[in-house]
Amino acid sequence: MEREMRIRNYSERTIRSYICSVGQVSRYFNLPPGRISTEQFKAYLHHLITRENCSVSRINQNISAWKILQQDLLKRKWESIRIRRPRKEKKLPVVLSEIEARALIGSPRSYKHRLLLILAYATGMRRSELLHIRLKDIDRQRSVIKITGKGNKQRELPVPGRLFESLEKYYRRWRPAVYLFEGPVPGKAYSASSMQKIVKDCALKAGIKKNISPHVLRHSFATHMLERGVNLKRLQLLLGHNSLKTTAIYLHLADLDKAQLPDLTQAKPEDDGDERK
């Protein structure tokens, strides 16, 4: 199963998650995965929902892993054993106000921690993307950082000049070997749990009562960009979303009254010299 997913260029995180999912259902029935029936698998999903209160995303992850096992490894026709996915939860993500976001990113005493949060908020990167920025991904001349996102898809994110100056100051002080943010071991990326702890601690220090995680900075970036007048398609490209529908959820969060709306009764600057006959 691992080989099949590597051939299909799944990310390391997805490979680990799917293998873990199949291993858990195998241990639940004490049977090899290939001997577990569709009805048994459905019973396992029902157990996850009713007994373990698992989220919709966790259930979908299990179904996706099951599909790869059945269709690609066991060569069974998926149409005959198709399992319908649960309806998606329509929960709006937690978003900080701009005042709260500035309080959060300004609260760390450590320059490294502060820069980590600033970069997360200023670019809207996912946590895994941020922690796996390599030094060679940073293009100072073009003021962009190359990001490797979900499915190993790459995109470039523009970085404000002041932030690049901060990155240079950070590099001169910390001298990372491979990744921009590294832990105690040179050449090893900073851990996700460490960033989670930084965000939680800083939220407490800043007096923020909301349930905060690193992903909240990404949600806040997207919402505040819309409020500043960035169009939805541009935001989709910045966030690395495959579908514009995914990005559109932020329309429900943004206060679009804050956006600078053009006065269509006024001529555009390049039209000021035109004369009507």
Side-chain angles (χ1 to χ4, degrees):
M1 184 172 178
E2 180 180 351
R3 186 181 70 171
E4 180 66 28
M5 287 191 288
R6 289 194 186 282
I7 291 172
R8 293 168 61 179
N9 199 30
Y10 280 80
S11 69
E12 289 296 326
R13 183 178 179 182
T14 300
I15 291 172
R16 290 195 301 269
S17 297
Y18 282 16
I19 290 176
C20 180
S21 295
V22 171
Q24 287 173 342
V25 68
S26 180
R27 288 190 293 273
Y28 182 79
F29 289 107
N30 196 26
L31 287 171
R35 291 181 56 191
I36 297 172
S37 69
T38 301
E39 288 306 312
Q40 285 177 310
F41 183 67
K42 286 182 177 179
Y44 173 69
L45 294 180
H46 184 262
H47 165 79
L48 292 181
I49 294 169
T50 58
R51 297 301 179 89
E52 297 190 20
N53 196 30
C54 286
S55 65
V56 168
S57 61
R58 169 86 182 280
I59 299 302
N60 276 324
Q61 181 187 85
N62 275 270
I63 294 174
S64 295
W66 181 255
K67 181 179 179 181
I68 291 176
L69 172 70
Q70 298 296 320
Q71 182 173 268
D72 299 322
L73 270 71
L74 301 178
K75 306 303 180 184
R76 296 170 180 168
K77 291 185 178 180
W78 178 246
E79 292 301 323
S80 63
I81 57 175
R82 178 183 292 276
I83 297 174
R84 293 189 178 275
R85 296 177 183 271
R87 293 180 178 179
K88 290 185 178 180
E89 299 167 312
K90 295 183 177 180
K91 292 182 179 179
L92 292 176
V94 176
V95 171
L96 301 175
S97 68
E98 289 196 32
I99 293 175
E100 288 174 324
R102 286 193 292 270
L104 180 71
I105 64 179
S107 62
R109 296 182 62 183
S110 164
Y111 188 78
K112 178 179 180 179
H113 294 175
R114 191 182 315 127
L115 187 59
L116 185 71
L117 299 187
I118 290 173
L119 197 57
Y121 175 57
T123 64
M125 280 185 256
R126 299 177 178 93
R127 176 173 60 180
S128 60
E129 295 171 345
L130 178 62
L131 297 180
H132 288 90
I133 295 173
R134 297 165 299 180
L135 297 178
K136 65 180 182 179
D137 296 328
I138 302 172
D139 189 337
R140 181 66 177 94
Q141 297 301 316
R142 296 174 54 235
S143 296
V144 297
I145 296 177
K146 184 169 69 175
I147 303 301
T148 301
K150 288 184 176 181
N152 291 322
K153 294 178 181 177
Q154 294 186 331
R155 67 187 190 280
E156 289 186 335
L157 288 178
V159 177
R162 284 186 180 180
L163 187 48
F164 253 116
E165 292 173 5
S166 298
L167 289 175
E168 290 172 343
K169 178 180 176 182
Y170 161 79
Y171 176 78
R172 288 194 297 269
R173 179 175 177 183
W174 292 89
R175 295 289 179 181
V178 178
Y179 295 98
L180 179 61
F181 296 105
E182 297 180 344
V185 180
K188 186 175 181 180
Y190 207 62
S191 72
S193 59
S194 294
M195 184 175 177
Q196 174 83 6
K197 186 176 186 305
I198 290 169
V199 171
K200 291 285 187 183
D201 290 347
C202 289
L204 185 65
K205 185 177 179 181
I208 298 172
K209 305 299 182 183
K210 297 172 182 176
N211 186 20
I212 301 297
S213 70
H215 213 66
V216 168
L217 288 168
R218 178 172 164 86
H219 294 319
S220 302
F221 162 85
T223 304
H224 299 162
M225 279 291 178
L226 283 176
E227 291 176 345
R228 295 289 186 98
V230 173
N231 70 62
L232 201 62
K233 183 61 181 178
R234 175 62 172 154
L235 182 60
Q236 177 194 359
L237 296 174
L238 291 172
L239 292 172
H241 287 159
N242 289 327
S243 170
L244 193 62
K245 185 178 180 181
T246 305
T247 316
I249 188 174
Y250 296 108
L251 291 172
H252 299 287
L253 298 167
D255 181 1
L256 297 182
D257 289 337
K258 294 179 180 179
Q260 295 294 320
L261 299 178
D263 182 354
L264 298 181
T265 66
Q266 300 294 319
K268 292 186 290 185
E270 60 267 28
D271 296 335
D272 287 347
D274 292 349
E275 295 181 0
R276 294 185 178 274
K277 295 183 179 179

